[in-house]
Amino acid sequence: MTPTSTPRPRWQRRSEDRPAELVAAALALFAERGFARTRLADVAARAHVSKATVYVYFANKERLFEAVVRETVTPNVDRAEALIRGYDGSTPALLRTLLLLFDGLLDSPMAAVLKVVLAEAGNFPELARVWGELVLQRMFALVQGVIARGIERKEFRVVNPAEMVPLVMSPLLLLGLWKHSLAPHVPVVLDRHAVLAAHADVLLRGLARPEDAHVQG
Amino acid sequence: MTPTSTPRPRWQRRSEDRPAELVAAALALFAERGFARTRLADVAARAHVSKATVYVYFANKERLFEAVVRETVTPNVDRAEALIRGYDGSTPALLRTLLLLFDGLLDSPMAAVLKVVLAEAGNFPELARVWGELVLQRMFALVQGVIARGIERKEFRVVNPAEMVPLVMSPLLLLGLWKHSLAPHVPVVLDRHAVLAAHADVLLRGLARPEDAHVQG
DNA sequence: TCTGTTATTGACTCTCGGGTCATTTAGTGC
DNA sequence: GCACTAAATGACCCGAGAGTCAATAACAGA
């Protein structure tokens, strides 16, 4: 162990992994502080890299955030779509399963990203566009398909599936924002799983055909 | 009209009205651009006043926003409470009326303020606290009371009123955020009134007692 | 009309952070 | 070992915008 026995380089070239590492670091900070209050210097530090390196891989802050959105969101939507595709049980059960899966997403960084997108949509329309394209449209189609399936199979009464989508999703939105925005600072307590159970309950009763109102999936 | 015939002062002393004018100006800009991207210089300009004047009436940007929240929110919550207090019809009808009133709020600046509060809660916990105290708790109690009333009067089946509150409110949250964040930038179309009608419908069916599932308020 | 009070302001400071670039140095092929 | 490429960086610039303060001018009262 002579003084010269430490030839560890001061930095390494890792152009393969850098982008993903930067995105991960950025995700954590954007989620925690929002877009405006996140400093690229901090992102860089968290990825063990200098600020200038960020600019080697991303043109600017906004593009970095766009990358965060893409990476965070796509796998989750993929999973949801796969779940639906392979399902062949009753539609009420399918809807319950889907809600459970969304419930899981509330703990993922996706919920935090959503918060930031909503907050910054006005300042960065491009972000809103990306989100709309990558998440909204696919999720929308997904849920709408489930409702339509239920109607076709005479498990639900006849409603306009498009109008049901926001109703299905909105409690999840609320719970997500609750968790990431208000919960830490407000004394009100919300039992997430109780609310979700109640949601599934009310929703399925509300969708049931009047003649079999007693049957609950 | 001699050149000296224009003794209109370059500015006027109006310490009574200034705060309200500043709050109004600030509301418009915060709603439009969010907290971080709103410049106090612009707020001042919009209130026809210099930036330094803002600091005469508000200690800093955050306090100004706090004032905006208070002023924007209180009258609306008051109105909702008054509506409930004086009501003596059926509870389903009351719930429909309440939803209609909230629908109106979606067009008020309150929805925009909510967006900003959610976005900035992490950076300014005090804001979240104020919102929780001024709006959340009162609104929560309000809706919870309506549900409890319906159960007492045997118009609803027996549920946990506290769990229903988020279910009642969440579609409104979604529609509000939709309007102020995504709608302008995303090609998806949401028919607000259709969604709200569907919400009332599903909700009331979901709350109905099984034995009178056919009766719709 | 003069004087005192205070609301208002213009001009200033200072920090913060996004973005740039010339230079350094790790890794690669010969 | 040597030269070449490109990954990584430190030091820099610069605009933006929050917050300050001494000076100014509107109004009230006498």
Side-chain angles (χ1 to χ4, degrees):
Chain A
M1 284 290 186
T2 72
T4 54
S5 72
T6 315
R8 167 133 63 117
R10 295 205 267 135
W11 45 264
Q12 299 185 328
R13 322 177 117 205
R14 309 187 37 248
S15 50
E16 301 290 288
D17 303 336
R18 291 284 187 232
E21 290 171 4
L22 285 167
V23 164
L27 167 59
L29 292 175
F30 282 137
E32 183 178 323
R33 308 189 197 167
F35 185 82
R37 316 251 313 179
T38 294
R39 289 171 293 236
L40 287 194
D42 290 351
V43 172
R46 198 182 173 109
H48 310 293
V49 139
S50 84
K51 187 175 64 164
T53 298
V54 177
Y55 285 91
V56 172
Y57 296 98
F58 301 94
N60 54 43
K61 199 179 176 183
E62 193 181 346
R63 291 299 164 82
L64 173 60
F65 186 62
E66 254 177 62
V68 168
V69 172
R70 285 179 203 279
E71 309 269 310
T72 310
V73 137
T74 313
N76 289 323
V77 183
D78 288 351
R79 250 176 57 219
E81 278 180 349
L83 172 73
I84 301 280
R85 235 195 319 276
Y87 203 91
D88 69 344
S90 80
T91 309
L94 171 54
L95 198 51
R96 284 201 132 93
T97 311
L98 192 61
L99 287 177
L100 224 58
L101 184 134
F102 289 157
D103 177 33
L105 294 189
L106 293 186
D107 292 319
S108 81
M110 190 168 158
V113 170
L114 167 61
K115 185 187 87 176
V116 182
V117 171
L118 289 175
E120 302 291 345
N123 302 127
F124 302 98
E126 192 56 18
L127 284 183
R129 236 214 56 245
V130 171
W131 182 272
E133 189 178 302
L134 262 52
V135 188
L136 266 184
Q137 295 191 356
R138 290 174 69 190
M139 287 287 197
F140 205 95
L142 211 76
V143 175
Q144 191 168 347
V146 172
I147 303 292
R149 177 185 193 267
I151 298 171
E152 267 167 41
R153 296 172 42 137
K154 314 247 188 247
E155 294 162 311
F156 295 156
R157 66 190 170 90
V158 177
V159 293
N160 180 341
E163 289 165 7
M164 296 306 303
V165 176
L167 302 188
V168 173
M169 301 298 282
S170 63
L172 293 153
L173 173 68
L174 185 148
L175 290 171
L177 292 176
W178 181 262
K179 178 178 173 184
H180 287 278
S181 283
L182 296 183
H185 313 292
V186 162
V188 178
V189 177
L190 262 196
D191 178 342
R192 191 172 109 190
H193 291 97
V195 171
L196 271 176
H199 175 45
D201 208 46
V202 171
L203 186 63
L204 288 175
R205 282 173 193 262
L207 281 172
R209 302 165 78 208
E211 58 270 34
D212 43 40
H214 52 288
V215 184
Q216 281 304 313
Chain B
M1 284 290 185
T2 72
T4 54
S5 71
T6 316
R8 167 134 62 117
R10 295 205 266 132
W11 46 266
Q12 298 184 328
R13 322 178 116 205
R14 308 188 35 248
S15 50
E16 301 290 288
D17 303 336
R18 292 284 187 231
E21 290 171 4
L22 285 167
V23 165
L27 167 60
L29 291 174
F30 282 137
E32 182 180 323
R33 308 188 197 168
F35 186 82
R37 316 253 311 178
T38 295
R39 290 172 294 238
L40 286 196
D42 290 352
V43 173
R46 199 181 173 109
H48 310 294
V49 138
S50 85
K51 187 176 61 163
T53 298
V54 177
Y55 285 91
V56 173
Y57 295 99
F58 301 94
N60 55 42
K61 198 179 176 183
E62 193 181 347
R63 292 299 165 82
L64 173 60
F65 186 62
E66 253 178 63
V68 168
V69 172
R70 285 178 203 279
E71 309 269 312
T72 310
V73 137
T74 313
N76 290 322
V77 183
D78 288 350
R79 251 176 57 218
E81 278 180 350
L83 172 73
I84 302 280
R85 234 193 321 274
Y87 203 90
D88 69 342
S90 80
T91 310
L94 171 55
L95 197 52
R96 283 202 134 92
T97 311
L98 192 62
L99 287 178
L100 224 57
L101 183 134
F102 289 158
D103 176 33
L105 293 189
L106 293 186
D107 292 319
S108 81
M110 190 168 158
V113 170
L114 168 61
K115 186 187 86 177
V116 181
V117 170
L118 289 175
E120 302 291 346
N123 303 126
F124 303 97
E126 192 56 18
L127 283 183
R129 237 213 55 245
V130 171
W131 182 271
E133 188 179 301
L134 263 51
V135 188
L136 266 184
Q137 295 191 356
R138 291 174 68 190
M139 286 285 197
F140 205 94
L142 211 75
V143 175
Q144 192 168 346
V146 172
I147 303 292
R149 178 185 192 267
I151 298 171
E152 266 167 42
R153 295 172 43 135
K154 313 249 188 245
E155 293 162 312
F156 295 156
R157 66 190 170 89
V158 177
V159 294
N160 180 341
E163 289 165 7
M164 297 305 304
V165 176
L167 303 188
V168 174
M169 301 297 281
S170 64
L172 293 153
L173 172 69
L174 184 147
L175 290 171
L177 291 176
W178 182 263
K179 177 179 174 185
H180 287 279
S181 284
L182 297 182
H185 313 293
V186 163
V188 179
V189 177
L190 263 196
D191 178 342
R192 191 172 109 189
H193 291 97
V195 170
L196 271 177
H199 176 44
D201 208 47
V202 171
L203 185 64
L204 288 175
R205 281 172 193 262
L207 281 173
R209 303 165 80 208
E211 56 269 35
D212 42 38
H214 51 290
V215 184
Q216 281 305 312

